[in-house]
């Protein structure tokens, strides 16, 4: 079975600074997808960025980028130039080829951006 | 309406009640999902529907009964729930039920079982 671990329950960052949120995963499958979602206090999950297990380049999407280290089974999210609106819960998730799109989520990291 | 909508946004029900949660997606997607988010626990997948056929049932108790009448609508019928079923129930949809496809979530229904 696959597992996602986010070891940082909470993180703080100053506005305009960069922050890295950690995520490690455990799976014996070779083919999978890794996702990051943002959940503001309103409750809706917002898709941020995706990395495929066979992608050789680190994914980037605007201010979001991934530091994907396949051998270490980690996919850390980097948010550059933090904004107050980035304050939210962030979830890392994995989906296996064999799983009909089932997302397995980590426990989440609460990010607070200070002005 | 755009994206994924869910109604009601909040629901309080007794353990003997029967209620239904509704989800509608306006994205032309072919797969829909129900997730449960309890306090202090990761999101848990409950059901997956692909082209209106249930393809995943993640060991969910029978007091939760999903229904997918067409690719745009998904229901979760609730009966004789327990207080531990109180949670945020999130619906999602995706182009297809696959590993490399992002899922789009609705705002959720906050359920309280008394």
């Amino acid at each position: 079975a696959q597992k996602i671990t986010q070891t940082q329950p909470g993180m703080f960052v100053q506005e305009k600074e960069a922050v890295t949120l950690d995520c490690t995963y455990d799976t014996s499958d070779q083919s999978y997808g890794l996702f990051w979602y943002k959940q503001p206090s309103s409750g809706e999950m917002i898709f941020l960025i995706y990395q495929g297990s066979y992608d050789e380049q680190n994914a980037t999407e605007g201010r979001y980028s991934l530091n994907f280290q396949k051998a270490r089974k980690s996919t850390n999210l980097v948010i550059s130039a933090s904004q107050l609106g980035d304050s939210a819960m962030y979830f890392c998730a994995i989906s296996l080829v064999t799983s009909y799109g089932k997302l397995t989520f980590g426990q989440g990291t609460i990010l607070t951006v200070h002005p | 309406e755009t994206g994924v909508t869910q109604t009601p946004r909040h629901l309080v029900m007794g353990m003997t009640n029967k209620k239904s949660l509704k989800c509608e997606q306006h994205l032309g997607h072919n797969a829909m999902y129900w997730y449960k988010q309890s306090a202090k626990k990761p999101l848990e997948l409950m059901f997956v529907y692909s082209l209106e056929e249930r393809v995943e049932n993640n060991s969910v108790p029978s007091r939760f009964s999903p229904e997918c009448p067409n690719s745009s609508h998904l229901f979760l019928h609730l009966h004789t729930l327990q207080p531990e079923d109180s949670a945020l129930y999130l619906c999602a949809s995706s182009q297809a039920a696959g590993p490399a496809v992002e899922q789009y979530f609705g705002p959720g229904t906050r359920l309280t079982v008394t």
Side-chain angles (χ1 to χ4, degrees), chain A residues 7 16 31 72 89 91 97 100 112 114:
Chain A
T7 57
K16 300 179 185 176
S31 184
R72 300 178 69 175
M89 178 76 90
F91 291 96
V97 166
Y100 288 110
T112 303
H114 289 303

Side-chain angles (χ1 to χ4, degrees), chain A residues 35 37 39 50 95 101-103, chain B residues 35 37 45 58 98-100 103:
Chain A
F35 299 80
Y37 282 84
Q39 187 178 38
Y50 164 80
S95 179
K102 171 183 175 180
L103 286 172
Chain B
Y35 287 87
Q37 187 176 25
L45 177 74
N58 205 32
Q103 295 176 23

Side-chain angles (χ1 to χ4, degrees), chain A residues 3-21:
Chain A
K3 185 180 178 182
I4 291 277
T5 302
Q6 295 178 255
T7 57
Q8 306 155 313
M11 289 285 286
F12 296 89
V13 66
Q14 206 70 28
E15 195 178 8
K16 300 179 185 176
E17 298 286 312
V19 63
T20 299
L21 306 183

Side-chain angles (χ1 to χ4, degrees), chain A residues 51-102:
Chain A
Q51 179 89 44
S53 58
Y54 291 112
D55 293 342
E56 295 186 354
Q57 305 266 13
N58 285 332
T60 62
E61 195 71 51
R63 294 187 299 111
Y64 305 108
S65 61
L66 291 182
N67 180 8
F68 178 47
Q69 299 182 56
K70 189 172 181 177
R72 300 178 69 175
K73 295 188 175 179
S74 76
T75 177
N76 300 333
L77 175 69
V78 180
I79 305 174
S80 62
S82 296
Q83 302 171 356
L84 296 178
D86 294 334
S87 294
M89 178 76 90
Y90 288 80
F91 291 96
C92 179
I94 187 170
S95 179
L96 306 181
V97 166
T98 53
S99 68
Y100 288 110
K102 171 183 175 180

